[in-house]
Amino acid sequence: MNIVVCVKYVPDSQSERTFQESDNTVDREATDGLLSELDEYAVEEALKIVEARGGGEVTVLTVGPAAAADAIKKALQMGAHRGVHVQDDAIHGSDAVATSLVLAEAVKKATDGSPELVLTGMASTDGTMGVVPAMMAERLGLPQVTYASELTVGDGTVTIRRDGDTASETVEASLPALVSVTDQINEPRYPSFKGIMAAKKKPVDTWSLADLGLEASQVGLDAAWTTVVTFAQRPPRAQGQIVTDEGEGGAKLAEFLSAQKFL
Amino acid sequence: MAPMSSSTMPKRPSDPLDIIDVDSMLTDEERAIRATVRQVCDDLVEPHVVQWYEQGDLPVARELAQEFGKVGLLGMHLEGYGCAGMSSVDYGLACLELEASDSGIRSLVSVQGSLAMYAIHAFGSEEQKQEWLPRMAAGEAIGCFGLTEPDHGSDPGSMRTRARRDGDDWVLDGSKMWITNGSIADVAVVWANAGEENGGIRGFVVPTDTPGFEAHELKNKMSLRASVTAELSLAEVRLPAGAVLPDVTGLKGPLSCLSEARYGIVWGCLGAARTALDAARRYSMERTQFDRPIAGFQLTQAKLAHMSTELQLGRLLALHLGRRKDSVGLRPEQVSVGKYNNVTKAIEICRTARTILGGNGISGEYPVMRHANNLESVLTYEGTVEMHTLVIGQTLTGESAFR
């Protein structure tokens, strides 16, 4: 079985992330980027499926700037077989709707129009919208089975467990399908040293919008359905308040909690 | 004076721990290897190391070894037999990240890869290599290395452990001291004096379940507490003829292993220093005295500037030696320069960091004192700082000052 895993290159959530003043988009120069941690679960799951079935290829697909090749590389180091990087200056500033369009077209091209299984993470660690998987499935005409915390590929079907607050659902869909996975599904492997060296020789295709038959006007900031109007630094965390108990500590604590609307 | 600027200046602010961008001299793969080791340490070591240090034990040494084996850390710079076959620079970068978490964890990996596995790889018979190296690379078998004795440290030539022939067999008697991994090891590479007629000092591959072999864990260490250290005792340990390392005789056997391991220390100790410096830098920016962050005081800045400069110089030295080792190889005195400089500077950085943290510096809540204490061992093992001084002195003058 051949699997396409869609991944995102995101600013490192451990470092200080900022927007650029010029167009209110993420300042990618200010911080290091990496493969979104939540997408590592999708890569791992794809590798496990292919390994268990003893065959098939994992293609890792990303849409992003030149540096996004790092996200592909990390997935290849983990064990994915090939990469596809859609890179085009016109894509800068695309919203989820446009991103899903580019991804869907790239999935079609990468699979000659007939994907078997498409995997994604549950959301990106930067935008955290979690809507791209559903949008892609819609564009590809595939059943969407989202937020899988367990995934089984059967004969022509895929079965997932989706954990909610009060119940767990078991959902089955026919293949081909698109599945988004949560961070509960597995423990992503570390890229081994041998994997790191092997990744150097794995093929990565770089496609432009034109390669996908898309126009610049369909993507980017201008085509976006939503726009970031303004941004502001989160105010620095205020110093904690220490209440010294002189007989009325309890009352003061209750007062504080009530003022913060915790009670 | 206004800060200098230039149109070609990169937009990104300097990494405070690498102002001169030593990182730019690394390849993408080298960075990826470092990132893997960092991730492994962040996940498997950092959350627990303070507790291990506190209890003076490394209860999960085997599990750790297996995880390290999975990514390829054990014997990573050796070729074949399940080893990853990475470069010396890769190995150095890995040592630095391991030791940024704890010198004891780096010691586990150093002893396994650079001492025990290296000895078998370099001097062992095909049978010895096949039997041990794949399992050791996978972390399924743990190795230790017995050279130092209770009364014989810097002068290993005077060792008292003896190997005598009895028919085809070898019989070992003696004891070894300060043996990292000793009491958890499956195999010990033990050096013993076999007498002039048998080539002098010889190495033996000793399965630790051989009758007469015992390991006693050493407690009450004030340094390297998250590491297993033992005394080995060998009483009439009978080994078959095939147990001897066939391809080396004399002191150059163990000394070449040590040269290998101390190369890793040239890098590793900088990890401890980096962690201490980073802790001190962050602390200085948060700690307020006399109504301002102590980072704003010139005395603090002088300390930080000195520590940071020494750390960067140490990294340049380590990288230079690594590139030489990968291209033309290193002479022992070149490794001595590396260990002499980097360990003395690393321990100085940790101690200075401690002063910036004031009283908090002695607390286990911060990593600084743990690293400083660990480096007391690192300063001494794999050739004491004094011995490396004499190696450099001899190279400068041609005069041997060892005895």
Side-chain angles (χ1 to χ4, degrees):
Chain A
M1 163 175 269
N2 295 323
I3 303 173
V4 178
V5 184
C6 302
V7 301
K8 188 174 182 186
Y9 176 75
V10 298
D12 187 351
S13 57
Q14 303 293 314
S15 59
E16 204 162 305
R17 295 171 292 181
T18 56
F19 288 85
Q20 359 190 60
E21 300 278 351
S22 54
D23 61 2
N24 293 358
T25 62
V26 173
D27 186 349
R28 292 186 181 272
E29 303 253 311
T31 54
D32 284 325
L34 42 70
L35 170 64
S36 172
E37 282 100 330
L38 288 172
D39 294 342
E40 289 186 10
Y41 297 91
V43 174
E44 174 67 29
E45 197 61 21
L47 293 174
K48 282 172 72 176
I49 293 169
V50 165
E51 285 162 3
R53 297 170 75 91
E57 268 198 353
V58 175
T59 299
V60 56
L61 162 66
T62 197
V63 174
D70 281 0
I72 293 180
K73 192 176 263 182
K74 171 92 183 268
L76 295 178
Q77 289 167 346
M78 288 171 72
H81 301 84
R82 54 186 280 246
V84 173
H85 183 182
V86 183
Q87 186 195 335
D88 198 306
D89 289 347
I91 297 172
H92 171 75
S94 291
D95 62 358
V97 178
T99 302
S100 70
L101 172 66
V102 179
L103 282 170
E105 289 306 317
V107 167
K108 283 186 206 163
K109 184 171 161 72
T111 58
D112 293 327
S114 47
E116 293 179 82
L117 178 62
V118 180
L119 294 185
T120 72
M122 59 192 279
S124 61
T125 57
D126 57 350
T128 61
M129 294 172 73
V131 293
V132 168
M135 289 176 171
M136 275 178 69
E138 204 58 29
R139 291 184 185 279
L140 290 165
L142 297 179
Q144 48 157 307
V145 254
T146 51
Y147 299 102
S149 47
E150 200 176 285
L151 191 166
T152 316
V153 177
D155 193 16
T157 61
V158 60
T159 309
I160 69 143
R161 196 188 76 230
R162 183 193 290 134
D163 295 329
D165 286 343
T166 53
S168 287
E169 303 167 319
T170 301
V171 183
E172 186 182 285
S174 59
L175 284 169
L178 183 146
V179 181
S180 74
V181 305
T182 71
D183 56 358
Q184 300 302 305
I185 195 163
N186 57 41
E187 205 51 62
R189 69 195 65 185
Y190 303 108
S192 74
F193 296 165
K194 284 179 180 165
I196 289 169
M197 300 319 280
K200 284 166 76 172
K201 299 187 196 83
K202 291 178 178 174
V204 178
D205 291 318
T206 306
W207 294 338
S208 65
L209 284 176
D211 292 328
L212 300 177
L214 294 171
E215 303 286 338
S217 60
Q218 293 173 277
V219 298
L221 268 181
D222 292 341
W225 291 22
T226 57
T227 179
V228 177
V229 179
T230 179
F231 66 89
Q233 289 276 347
R234 185 184 296 174
R237 206 184 293 179
Q239 201 155 28
Q241 183 186 334
I242 297 172
V243 176
T244 311
D245 185 14
E246 286 160 352
E248 42 195 38
K252 281 190 172 161
L253 189 60
E255 224 168 76
F256 172 83
L257 290 172
S258 148
Q260 302 291 321
K261 302 203 174 13
F262 284 121
L263 294 181
Chain B
M1 197 176 84
M4 285 175 287
S5 74
S6 144
S7 57
T8 58
M9 197 166 80
K11 181 176 172 186
R12 180 122 23 129
S14 287
D15 175 351
L17 300 176
D18 181 22
I19 298 171
I20 61 171
D21 275 330
V22 182
D23 263 17
S24 65
M25 296 160 78
L26 301 176
T27 67
D28 286 350
E29 282 70 33
E30 286 164 351
R31 272 180 258 228
I33 281 153
R34 178 176 63 182
T36 284
V37 183
R38 185 70 258 136
Q39 203 182 344
V40 170
C41 289
D42 281 346
D43 292 348
L44 305 180
V45 178
E46 291 291 343
H48 314 290
V49 67
V50 173
Q51 191 197 334
W52 297 333
Y53 194 90
E54 183 92 17
Q55 73 192 63
D57 196 8
L58 188 55
V60 295
R62 282 196 168 270
E63 290 86 338
L64 269 185
Q66 282 166 16
E67 291 294 330
F68 290 165
K70 270 188 216 160
V71 297
L73 258 169
L74 304 176
M76 65 181 277
H77 58 312
L78 305 176
E79 288 282 349
Y81 305 98
C83 304
M86 311 304 286
S87 72
S88 301
V89 170
D90 294 329
Y91 176 58
L93 290 164
C95 285
L96 194 153
E97 293 308 322
L98 288 164
E99 195 149 358
S101 288
D102 195 89
S103 304
I105 306 302
R106 200 265 307 135
S107 297
L108 168 72
V109 172
S110 285
V111 169
Q112 176 87 348
S114 279
L115 293 179
M117 290 176 74
Y118 176 83
I120 296 171
H121 194 273
F123 309 123
S125 65
E126 188 56 31
E127 292 71 33
Q128 289 165 342
K129 292 181 198 179
Q130 297 282 2
E131 183 180 359
W132 291 107
L133 292 179
R135 288 166 60 207
M136 293 172 85
E140 283 156 18
I142 291 183
C144 67
F145 183 90
L147 175 66
T148 296
E149 300 186 354
D151 297 323
H152 305 268
S154 292
D155 181 14
S158 64
M159 71 172 60
R160 288 177 54 190
T161 299
R162 293 279 181 271
R164 64 180 162 82
R165 288 240 71 160
D166 183 22
D168 278 349
D169 290 352
W170 290 95
V171 179
L172 269 56
D173 276 291
S175 61
K176 297 291 176 182
M177 191 63 174
W178 305 119
I179 309 305
T180 299
N181 299 351
S183 52
I184 56 167
D186 302 283
V187 61
V189 171
V190 174
W191 301 90
N193 192 335
E196 282 309 314
E197 67 281 14
N198 289 312
I201 307 247
R202 302 297 301 266
F204 295 87
V205 180
V206 185
T208 55
D209 58 3
T210 309
F213 180 98
E214 277 183 45
H216 308 282
E217 192 176 348
L218 297 170
K219 288 293 181 187
N220 282 328
K221 288 179 296 174
M222 298 296 144
S223 172
L224 285 188
R225 290 178 58 77
S227 173
V228 176
T229 314
E231 176 176 12
L232 310 182
S233 92
L234 301 121
E236 290 282 306
V237 174
R238 182 170 289 273
L239 300 165
V244 70
L245 292 172
D247 292 343
V248 72
T249 57
L251 263 186
K252 71 172 182 292
L255 293 188
S256 63
C257 299
L258 290 178
S259 194
E260 204 57 27
R262 62 180 68 120
Y263 164 77
I265 294 172
V266 172
W267 289 81
C269 64
L270 300 177
R274 184 185 75 189
T275 300
L277 166 59
D278 198 36
R281 187 181 71 87
R282 289 171 193 278
Y283 183 89
S284 73
M285 295 188 295
E286 284 162 12
R287 172 77 172 180
T288 304
Q289 288 294 285
F290 302 104
D291 301 322
R292 59 191 299 202
I294 63 171
F297 294 115
Q298 291 184 355
L299 286 176
T300 308
Q301 290 199 357
K303 289 177 188 175
L304 291 171
H306 180 69
M307 294 155 78
S308 146
T309 304
E310 288 297 351
L311 177 62
Q312 294 172 84
L313 293 175
R315 285 188 63 197
L316 281 176
L317 174 56
L319 185 57
H320 167 72
L321 291 176
R323 295 278 185 238
R324 294 286 295 175
K325 187 163 161 48
D326 283 329
S327 52
V328 296
L330 290 177
R331 291 189 297 275
E333 63 268 25
Q334 295 178 318
V335 184
S336 286
V337 171
K339 193 190 180 235
Y340 169 81
N341 181 75
N342 284 9
V343 181
T344 49
K345 295 300 165 52
I347 199 168
E348 181 195 327
I349 288 171
C350 290
R351 288 168 177 163
T352 309
R354 211 288 302 154
T355 66
I356 292 177
L357 273 82
N360 284 319
I362 71 160
S363 162
E365 295 292 312
Y366 296 90
V368 175
M369 189 94 168
R370 174 166 55 86
H371 280 295
N373 283 359
N374 282 339
L375 288 183
E376 294 290 347
S377 299
V378 179
L379 193 65
T380 288
Y381 71 19
E382 318 283 355
T384 65
V385 64
E386 291 78 11
M387 286 299 126
H388 289 298
T389 307
L390 298 185
V391 170
I392 297 169
Q394 184 177 21
T395 308
L396 285 168
T397 64
E399 296 280 352
S400 167
F402 291 97
R403 52 177 86 235

